[in-house]
Amino acid sequence: MNTVLAGIVIVFFGVQGIARLTAAPEDQRAAAYHFGVSLSEYRKVSGLLILGGAGLAAGLAVPPIGIAAAVALVVLMLIMAGLRLLCQDGALRVALPLVVAALTAGTMVW
């Protein structure tokens, strides 16, 4: 596993997940409404970001776990890009999950 890139991606997913879970309830509701999902689903996806980052971290010691986590996170980011496209967010907001998906896929290269 590419450890430097993996470290960057691990921190990114950890920070994103924690920021989303610790955001004010009204901010969480607004984000969930924007994406057309329930507040519970929004919080579950936020938890998945943290778990995915933890899976990548575990993958530094056990590569198959890291590969599985990376694949799951790439799929999640592709879904996020699709949701952003459906919500008619700007091009930068659609591109960000695609860039993160590419970086995450890059962690599987060694």
Side-chain angles (χ1 to χ4, degrees):
M1 217 178 208
N2 185 335
T3 52
V4 173
L5 184 56
I8 293 168
V9 173
I10 289 165
V11 169
F12 174 81
F13 282 115
V15 168
Q16 282 295 307
I18 291 169
R20 290 174 186 213
L21 285 177
T22 60
E26 53 273 0
D27 292 337
Q28 291 180 355
R29 278 189 205 87
Y33 178 78
H34 176 73
F35 290 118
V37 298
S38 70
L39 182 58
S40 174
E41 290 168 335
Y42 180 80
R43 289 179 176 158
K44 288 175 187 173
V45 169
S46 301
L48 287 176
L49 293 174
I50 296 169
L51 288 175
L56 285 176
L60 295 173
V62 183
I65 294 173
I67 291 169
V71 168
L73 288 170
V74 167
V75 169
L76 183 61
M77 289 297 101
L78 293 176
I79 292 169
M80 283 301 301
L83 279 174
R84 291 219 176 259
L85 193 61
L86 287 174
C87 293
Q88 298 179 350
D89 287 347
L92 288 176
R93 290 192 177 252
V94 174
L96 179 62
L98 296 175
V99 170
V100 173
L103 291 174
T104 304
T107 64
M108 293 186 283
V109 177
W110 51 89

